[in-house]
Amino acid sequence: MKYVFGPVPSRRLGQSLGIDTIPLKTCNWNCVYCQLGRSVPLTNQRQEYYPREKILLEIRQALEAHTAGGIDWITFVGSGEPTLHSGLGWLIQEVKGLTDLPVAVITNGSTLYQQDVRSDLGAADAVLPTLDAGKPWLYQKINRPHPEITLERLLEGMRAFRDGYAGQLWVEVMLVCGLNDTEIALTDIAAALQTIQPDEIHLNLPTRPPAETWVRPTDDAGLLRAQAILGATARVVHPASGSFDVSGAADLNEAIVGILTRHPMREDELIRTLDESHQDVHQALSRLASSGRAQVVERYGVRFWGGPGTVFPDETHSQRTSPGSSRKSNRK
Ligand code: SF4
């Protein structure tokens, strides 16, 4: 499938069927922690990147292929900023007509200053935007936004959306060591969030391969500090563990590449998924590496597998690193 992937285990949304409406790294931010590498170039253009009817057809097929109970949420998320697809509102409405499953949109929130985006997201059950900084200089440093999206505009958009939105608004703060985990940075974020009044604040850590090699997640002290300063609605969302369900896929390798492209996996997760789908693990890893359909990125001393076409500085490609060198890749 081209537009639908998973279900994947999500830290907040259980088994989440992912809907990806845009080409890889179509984004108006270039976050230092992005697990999809760098955004080259940035765009803030809303348009119909892929035909909405084709996306809807795949969603319908995926819902038919998965057993009841296998999906907890349908989540618009993926290769960049999903609200840049101009048909998002139509797609959410159509999905609501197909199923009773709740619909979430994981967004950076940067387009909420536009009335049509706020209207599009109104039918979703949960919207999960991001706020990593309460001061413009830190916002520039972490999120590296398109010039049209100032921090003031971002905050205005979130406030306007909150005012008219009846669903759950869960704001994520990605805590990067030495940047936004200090007392002063967290106090600024708390002041900004006070004006938005989200239902929940989710503290997250860059545990998947970050775009920039120097990015580190905050430590335990930083997490405690964030919880203390951001208040009672702030909770840490731990990395999810669970299986990547590829059981409904007609082509298992294609399904796995579809997940890796949007959601890089630690090598041990990938091996477990291959094992559970009765693949020869060593052969499957070799095929992925040699075909160029996946690449290895090393961060924090951990091997991650991601999709092709992503831009990671100082990355370690699968072509340069044999999957046979993995501690577990010859397990079968
Ligand atoms: S983390 Fe999200 S918002 Fe940031 S650059 Fe990546 S896709 Fe864009």
Side-chain angles (χ1 to χ4, degrees):
M1 288 198 171
K2 185 172 176 184
Y3 314 109
V4 176
F5 62 99
V8 297
S10 160
R11 298 168 192 181
R12 294 165 283 182
L13 302 167
Q15 285 297 111
S16 164
L17 185 72
I19 317 297
D20 187 4
T21 56
I22 48 178
L24 180 65
K25 279 316 304 257
T26 303
C27 198
N28 48 16
W29 282 7
N30 184 22
C31 304
V32 293
Y33 55 73
C34 185
Q35 65 180 12
L36 301 174
R38 291 180 177 169
S39 310
V40 188
L42 287 179
T43 180
N44 196 36
Q45 182 72 39
R46 269 204 112 196
Q47 62 184 65
E48 186 136 342
Y49 288 95
Y50 295 126
R52 60 184 73 184
E53 290 82 7
K54 287 192 175 173
I55 299 171
L56 184 63
L57 180 63
E58 279 199 4
I59 298 171
R60 192 177 283 123
Q61 289 168 344
L63 288 172
E64 285 166 5
H66 289 282
T67 52
I71 300 171
D72 298 314
W73 284 79
I74 296 180
T75 308
F76 287 87
V77 61
S79 300
E81 173 46 41
T83 63
L84 291 176
H85 194 292
S86 54
L88 182 61
W90 181 85
L91 280 164
I92 293 172
Q93 296 282 0
E94 291 293 318
V95 169
K96 299 295 284 181
L98 285 179
T99 174
D100 291 333
L101 287 167
V103 173
V105 180
I106 298 182
T107 167
N108 60 24
S110 62
T111 56
L112 287 170
Y113 69 91
Q114 300 173 45
Q115 172 59 48
D116 56 340
V117 174
R118 295 199 295 274
S119 163
D120 280 358
L121 297 190
D125 298 280
V127 173
L128 293 75
T130 295
L131 185 70
D132 296 325
K135 284 283 190 288
W137 72 268
L138 191 54
Y139 168 61
Q140 293 292 333
K141 189 156 183 129
I142 297 176
N143 303 115
R144 303 186 297 193
H146 187 281
E148 289 170 8
I149 305 161
T150 60
L151 180 63
E152 191 180 13
R153 213 169 206 185
L154 172 71
L155 294 174
E156 268 172 24
M158 286 202 204
R159 285 192 284 264
F161 184 63
R162 169 76 292 178
D163 280 351
Y165 181 55
Q168 288 290 303
L169 184 65
W170 300 336
V171 175
E172 174 178 295
V173 183
M174 185 71 87
L175 292 167
V176 181
C177 185
L179 285 183
N180 61 354
D181 64 346
T182 63
E183 185 176 341
I184 189 159
L186 289 164
T187 304
D188 291 339
I189 294 170
L193 287 171
Q194 187 66 31
T195 69
I196 298 167
Q197 294 288 309
D199 296 290
E200 292 182 13
I201 300 164
H202 292 170
L203 305 177
N204 209 343
L205 301 175
T207 51
R208 305 231 163 237
E212 306 304 332
T213 53
W214 48 265
V215 168
R216 294 284 178 277
T218 192
D219 54 15
D220 289 347
L223 273 178
L224 286 173
R225 193 160 49 243
Q227 283 180 295
I229 294 173
L230 297 179
T233 55
R235 67 182 175 94
V236 179
V237 289
H238 292 284
S241 59
S243 37
F244 291 76
D245 182 3
V246 288
S247 58
D251 180 331
L252 288 173
N253 285 327
E254 186 190 302
I256 286 168
V257 171
I259 293 172
L260 293 178
T261 302
R262 287 86 176 201
H263 194 289
M265 288 189 213
R266 291 194 319 269
E267 191 162 79
D268 61 324
E269 291 173 323
L270 176 57
I271 287 170
R272 198 165 55 238
T273 302
L274 291 167
D275 244 359
E276 285 175 3
S277 59
H278 309 297
Q279 300 254 323
D280 181 308
V281 170
H282 186 68
Q283 271 188 17
L285 289 178
S286 292
R287 261 200 315 273
L288 282 172
S290 61
S291 68
R293 299 176 78 201
Q295 60 173 315
V296 173
V297 182
E298 293 193 10
R299 292 285 190 273
Y300 320 132
V302 175
R303 287 166 61 91
F304 293 90
W305 284 72
T310 45
V311 182
F312 283 94
D314 304 317
E315 63 199 29
T316 304
H317 289 280
S318 52
Q319 288 85 349
R320 282 188 270 132
T321 310
S322 157
S325 67
S326 158
R327 287 189 304 278
K328 298 181 184 170
S329 61
N330 54 3
R331 190 186 70 178
K332 176 61 193 159

